[in-house]
Amino acid sequence: MTLPTHAQIVVIGGGIIGSSTAYHLARDHKADVVLLEQGKLTSGSTWHAAGLVGQLRSSASITRVLKYSVDLYKGLAAETGLETGWKMTGCLRLATNEDRWTEYKRLATTARSFGMEMHLISPEEVKRMWPLMETSDLVGASWLPTDGQASPSDITQSLAKGARMHGAKIFEGVRVLGFGMEGNRITSVRTTGGEIACEKVVNCAGQWARQVGAMAGIEVPLQAVRHQYIVTEKIDGLSPETATIRDPDRRTYFKEEVGGLVMGGYEPNPQPLSTGDIPNDWQFHLFEDDYDHFEQHLVQAMARVPALESVGVKQMINGPESFTPDGNFILGPAPECVNMFVGAGFNAFGIASGGGAGWVLADWVVNGEAPLDLWVVDIRRFSAMHRDRQWVSDRTCEAYGKHYTIGFPHEEYTSGRPRIVSPLYERLKAHRAVFGSKLGWERPNWFAPEGVEPRDIYSMGRQNWFAHVGAEHRHVREAVGLFDQSSFAKYEVTGRDAARALDHVCANDVTRAPGRLTYTQLLNSRGGIEADLTVARLAEDRFYVVTGTGFRTHDLAWIAEHLPQGDVAIRDITEDWGTLSLMGPRSRDVLAQVTDADVSDAAFPFGHVREIVIAGATVRALRVTYVGELGWELHVPLAATGAIFDALMAAGADHDIRPIGYRALESLRLEKGYRAWSSDITPNDTPFEAGLGWAVKMRRNADFIGRTALEAVQGQPLRKRLAGFTLDDPAAVLVGRETILRNGQAVGYLTSGGYGYTVGKSIGYGYVRNEGGVSDDFLASGDYELVVANERFPARIVLAPLYDPENLKVKA
């Protein structure tokens, strides 16, 4: 065996993800690909995977990725001559209580929104389909007929053969030892078989992906967990075409295999491996059988399938699987290294995801941007806090334990908290804040009045905070509220060429005079929205950029990667500044009491930034709002945050000021029609489609990323447009992904949903689609309904903000 001395792309790892990525790189892009596997193909965790293939997720893009996997597996054997073991048996998901049943009704709605077939069936129908099952405790089940199962090793070998057929070179028994680096770029891969110069590296090393990444200075936040399942002897009456079963209320799953059953589960007390490195010689590695720990699954499984009480166990599989802190897998470009991409952490969904993940990752590697909205799996959703391996382990175990729990709306993780707190944390606790967590930051979601327990009580209907958030909402509309938004990500862009560089990256005009601020999107080459943020020009050569908490790593990496060459630099200064948002019709009265600066509308107009002094500290005041009221974002030196909060609260006492949480913020922005990135606007959506064409500098003769794509469609009929919808029925709870019906036909689904307390209605936003064009007349002429948890509700379409304080209009 002689390794080549050069390759365009080196893929590390010969499991299903690495093999699929190499296959798609070779087949779709004719790339010069070398795949390196330290042991044998599949020898990490692929070979012992259970092989269930489900498709439905809460993200339309990820559902599309999984549907692609199924389509690929169906035809792969015909291409390569190697069978994959694919069987489209369908999948039953069982419900034993009303909350689970409501979850399934919402999932059935989501499935139809995404163009998938999903049925809700009775216990009697379940019994007819699966006669060996005990069904007396069932409320019902969901039935996805296109789900199935496959042989993980066979699929991987078939993908590897396909990769070779298309020109990829695969080498087994070659371990990666390190990388040649120039700054933050890999120039070569050092291996036990020699050194390979390369242009890009794809880290698909499975449970070793974290330590492979560390060789190049990147963090891949994974935790290996022992995952067990059994394979039984043959069971009389079990058909080879028996549907796979997910029984989440009993935390177990089943699939037929050679006349017997594969049965495993997700326990609330998982067994993580050490937070240290995984030994390199763990190919085809299993742990000793642990029936003491597995007993909890056996007891539940025998209650569901009584035949298990008398059948023998052929084998127990107890192997390591890589899981992540949020239960979503990891794809994309590592922010610390400009040419390493990652595909890892598949949370025991590697077989279901493998085909599609390899497809999108290969495209991402070659073209430099994701072909779909893949934010929920983007490695840049993590941050520096994820270098703490113990924190990652604790949070990952919590996510593992929630694998089969009911997915209540607005549910928060509890492990590893509090991790990051603003200087106001104790003050806000004293105001009875109920905190949520975003990228490690503790943030107040709502405030419990005296006599109300300050905690969330989850349900599928209106939750315990609903009325209290309504009171906060009305307070901002009628008086003045103070939001702690210190978790905002903040960057400084400086240099002689800073304005020119940002003008290239930003879709809106950020080159206005110092003292002006601009709301802008960052676009990809397709014209899709990769980020939206605020850019304040502080001086000719200095800009202050503010974006959402969760997008800190992503947006910094995107801007840094796309800044043109020149005298320009970007620096993350998030921890240098706290942020207090003072919002409401009385906000100017409060602000005027704590500063000598002139904060009148004439002296301090909307869309401007000023440095003012409050409580002896110099504050960057941004006249901007996300709630649809008069207000300011006050960016204050972090050490002064507490003193400035106290000064504002004291000055606002006569104006009935009170702290306000993020759930009220969400309700307020829904009424005003402000878009939220990652839900209403994504890399799949252009500003024209999102109703944000006004924020794009098309009239200026300035080039910017995405302009060419927008010019190609400018003036043409839009095939989708974002619209608002309201419901009169107070029983309908909107959370997003509800189907939009126009004249009885599905035309889209909601991207976000909630309640507007000023208008007194449920509010949702979503894209209405029509291949023939979506004109104003088309939108206005339809009769609309929303499908909420499988039930139709009459809806009214809204194309202007529901709440407009400047015109004092509320459109009910």
Side-chain angles (χ1 to χ4, degrees):
M1 175 196 70
T2 302
L3 294 184
T5 58
H6 179 273
Q8 180 189 358
I9 301 166
V10 174
V11 177
I12 302 170
I16 190 168
I17 308 303
S19 298
S20 177
T21 302
Y23 169 81
H24 287 93
L25 284 167
R27 188 195 72 176
D28 298 346
H29 304 284
K30 314 307 177 191
D32 170 22
V33 183
V34 168
L35 183 149
L36 305 176
E37 164 56 47
Q38 68 174 349
K40 296 289 187 181
L41 295 181
T42 80
S43 64
S45 56
T46 296
W47 71 278
H48 63 73
L52 276 68
V53 179
Q55 300 167 81
L56 181 62
R57 296 292 183 275
S58 60
S59 158
S61 289
I62 301 307
T63 298
R64 183 178 167 189
V65 167
L66 300 180
K67 288 172 70 175
Y68 176 92
S69 292
V70 168
D71 292 340
L72 178 67
Y73 299 161
K74 285 178 184 176
L76 193 59
E79 177 188 348
T80 67
L82 294 181
E83 291 297 329
T84 62
W86 165 250
K87 290 197 301 182
M88 195 171 78
T89 56
C91 179
L92 287 166
R93 287 174 168 83
L94 311 181
T96 67
N97 58 70
E98 289 301 327
D99 277 342
R100 181 73 70 182
W101 191 234
T102 299
E103 180 182 48
Y104 286 178
K105 287 190 284 187
R106 287 183 177 170
L107 283 171
T109 302
T110 298
R112 281 192 282 276
S113 291
F114 296 170
M116 283 187 65
E117 185 180 357
M118 180 174 176
H119 308 280
L120 300 177
I121 64 176
S122 68
E124 292 74 25
E125 291 173 284
V126 174
K127 187 70 173 179
R128 283 196 294 273
M129 294 173 68
W130 236 92
L132 297 176
M133 188 191 304
E134 171 56 53
T135 59
S136 60
D137 63 333
L138 295 186
V139 176
S142 70
W143 167 240
L144 287 93
T146 59
D147 280 0
Q149 61 189 74
S151 166
S153 293
D154 289 346
I155 289 177
T156 304
Q157 296 292 350
S158 191
L159 286 166
K161 183 176 179 183
R164 291 188 186 100
M165 288 167 58
H166 292 288
K169 304 176 184 70
I170 297 178
F171 298 90
E172 296 176 303
V174 178
R175 182 184 306 153
V176 172
L177 302 176
F179 301 100
M181 306 283 295
E182 287 183 2
N184 65 344
R185 176 178 295 276
I186 295 171
T187 57
S188 65
V189 181
R190 297 170 182 156
T191 80
T192 52
E195 190 162 355
I196 307 174
C198 63
E199 298 166 27
K200 295 178 181 178
V201 172
V202 191
N203 177 1
C204 300
Q207 58 194 325
W208 293 276
R210 183 169 65 179
Q211 54 225 62
V212 168
M215 297 177 189
I218 76 165
E219 185 63 32
V220 183
L222 301 177
Q223 175 60 48
V225 177
R226 299 179 190 223
H227 185 71
Q228 298 186 87
Y229 64 86
I230 58 170
V231 184
T232 76
E233 301 286 357
K234 287 189 177 182
I235 299 175
D236 290 340
L238 192 65
S239 163
E241 302 306 315
T242 296
T244 60
I245 299 291
R246 287 181 172 85
D247 189 3
D249 295 325
R250 294 182 181 271
R251 301 195 184 98
T252 52
Y253 60 79
F254 306 84
K255 76 162 187 172
E256 185 276 338
E257 186 166 295
V258 199
L261 279 178
V262 168
M263 186 280 289
Y266 292 87
E267 63 274 15
N269 58 333
Q271 297 177 308
L273 275 63
S274 162
T275 57
D277 287 351
I278 303 294
N280 288 319
D281 60 357
W282 269 21
Q283 291 99 42
F284 298 111
H285 183 83
L286 292 177
F287 304 106
E288 292 184 0
D289 297 349
D290 187 350
Y291 278 98
D292 288 341
H293 191 74
F294 195 70
E295 182 182 16
Q296 57 191 302
H297 296 316
L298 278 173
V299 170
Q300 296 291 345
M302 288 188 292
R304 178 62 67 211
V305 183
L308 288 173
E309 295 181 23
S310 55
V311 72
V313 174
K314 188 189 305 182
Q315 185 181 17
M316 169 175 272
I317 302 292
N318 184 6
E321 294 269 8
S322 290
F323 290 82
T324 66
D326 61 4
N328 289 321
F329 53 87
I330 298 173
L331 288 184
E336 307 95 328
C337 178
V338 296
N339 61 340
M340 177 181 274
F341 291 74
V342 178
F346 281 82
N347 302 279
F349 280 125
I351 310 310
S353 312
W359 158 52
V360 294
L361 185 55
D363 197 286
W364 206 338
V365 170
V366 170
N367 294 319
E369 60 186 37
L372 306 172
D373 169 27
L374 297 174
W375 167 244
V376 295
V377 297
D378 193 321
I379 190 172
R380 295 168 296 184
R381 71 189 187 271
F382 301 118
S383 68
M385 61 177 275
H386 292 91
R387 292 183 177 275
D388 182 337
R389 290 188 173 189
Q390 188 58 55
W391 188 94
V392 168
S393 178
D394 293 345
R395 177 58 59 86
T396 299
C397 286
E398 183 184 5
Y400 180 103
K402 287 179 178 289
H403 191 89
Y404 275 161
T405 59
I406 294 169
F408 289 110
H410 313 292
E411 188 172 1
E412 297 274 353
Y413 285 102
T414 59
S415 61
R417 294 178 55 190
R419 176 72 185 190
I420 307 170
V421 298
S422 89
L424 303 182
Y425 181 67
E426 294 299 333
R427 287 174 172 83
L428 297 175
K429 276 180 70 175
H431 281 277
R432 303 177 59 76
V434 181
F435 290 94
S437 179
K438 190 80 165 184
L439 206 65
W441 285 83
E442 291 292 314
R443 313 190 312 173
N445 279 335
W446 61 285
F447 292 84
E450 290 293 338
V452 174
E453 186 180 5
R455 72 179 182 95
D456 287 332
I457 300 174
Y458 300 119
S459 74
M460 284 297 185
R462 299 291 182 204
Q463 297 186 0
N464 66 314
W465 45 263
F466 180 75
H468 309 305
V469 168
E472 294 177 29
H473 172 116
R474 284 185 287 272
H475 204 84
V476 176
R477 289 276 184 256
E478 297 167 4
V480 58
L482 193 57
F483 300 82
D484 179 14
Q485 297 189 284
S486 298
S487 62
F488 273 162
K490 314 162 194 84
Y491 323 121
E492 198 163 69
V493 180
T494 56
R496 186 177 60 255
D497 298 319
R500 177 183 62 82
L502 283 175
D503 200 39
H504 172 72
V505 172
C506 298
N508 206 348
D509 181 9
V510 297
T511 64
R512 299 181 174 112
R516 297 294 303 275
L517 61 86
T518 305
Y519 165 73
T520 184
Q521 295 93 47
L522 313 183
L523 307 182
N524 56 39
S525 65
R526 305 186 307 276
I529 302 170
E530 287 287 341
D532 77 325
L533 37 78
T534 301
V535 180
R537 191 169 194 178
L538 304 180
E540 290 293 332
D541 61 353
R542 190 158 62 108
F543 293 81
Y544 183 60
V545 181
V546 183
T547 190
T549 305
F551 316 133
R552 177 178 180 176
T553 305
H554 172 275
D555 291 4
L556 178 66
W558 177 270
I559 296 170
E561 181 183 345
H562 291 86
L563 285 176
Q565 293 293 316
D567 179 22
V568 59
I570 184 168
R571 185 168 63 94
D572 188 325
I573 56 172
T574 299
E575 273 77 24
D576 295 348
W577 296 87
T579 305
L580 295 172
S581 291
L582 183 70
M583 299 286 160
R586 300 181 195 169
S587 58
R588 179 178 281 117
D589 300 327
V590 176
L591 188 59
Q593 285 183 237
V594 297
T595 182
D596 293 333
D598 186 349
V599 295
S600 66
D601 192 57
F604 199 155
F606 184 80
H608 284 66
V609 56
R610 299 278 188 270
E611 286 196 342
I612 64 176
V613 176
I614 303 176
T618 301
V619 171
R620 289 177 181 170
L622 280 61
R623 175 87 187 276
V624 66
T625 179
Y626 192 56
V627 304
E629 297 290 348
L630 173 69
W632 284 263
E633 280 180 18
L634 304 174
H635 293 255
V636 307
L638 197 69
T641 309
I644 292 173
F645 175 86
D646 293 342
L648 291 167
M649 292 297 291
D654 292 341
H655 303 285
D656 201 20
I657 195 170
R658 62 178 288 187
I660 306 294
Y662 270 81
R663 290 194 179 136
L665 183 77
E666 173 67 6
S667 170
L668 291 158
R669 77 94 188 167
L670 284 169
E671 287 188 340
K672 185 58 179 171
Y674 291 131
R675 279 64 166 144
W677 192 82
S678 80
S679 55
D680 304 320
I681 50 177
T682 76
N684 292 344
D685 314 306
T686 71
F688 299 159
E689 295 164 340
L692 295 173
W694 57 268
V696 183
K697 56 189 178 223
M698 297 301 289
R699 293 181 181 177
R700 271 192 60 211
N701 185 24
D703 189 26
F704 59 89
I705 299 169
R707 179 171 190 133
T708 302
L710 294 186
E711 285 178 334
V713 299
Q714 192 173 23
Q716 297 181 14
L718 295 170
R719 290 183 291 181
K720 69 173 187 179
R721 282 176 62 185
L722 189 70
F725 298 88
T726 60
L727 298 180
D728 290 330
D729 195 320
V733 179
L734 299 181
V735 295
R737 297 177 300 281
E738 292 85 0
T739 306
I740 303 167
L741 302 178
R742 180 184 180 274
N743 299 338
Q745 300 298 311
V747 292
Y749 55 89
L750 295 189
T751 52
S752 63
Y755 192 81
Y757 295 90
T758 306
V759 301
K761 298 177 187 294
S762 291
I763 302 171
Y765 291 91
Y767 288 89
V768 175
R769 292 166 166 82
N770 180 43
E771 284 300 311
V774 185
S775 64
D776 287 347
D777 287 344
F778 177 86
L779 290 171
S781 63
D783 291 323
Y784 292 92
E785 297 170 285
L786 297 181
V787 183
V788 184
N790 233 27
E791 184 178 351
R792 291 185 175 195
F793 292 86
R796 186 168 74 88
I797 192 168
V798 181
L799 300 180
L802 284 158
Y803 175 79
D804 186 351
E806 292 183 8
N807 297 321
L808 299 178
K809 292 178 181 177
V810 176
K811 301 177 179 66

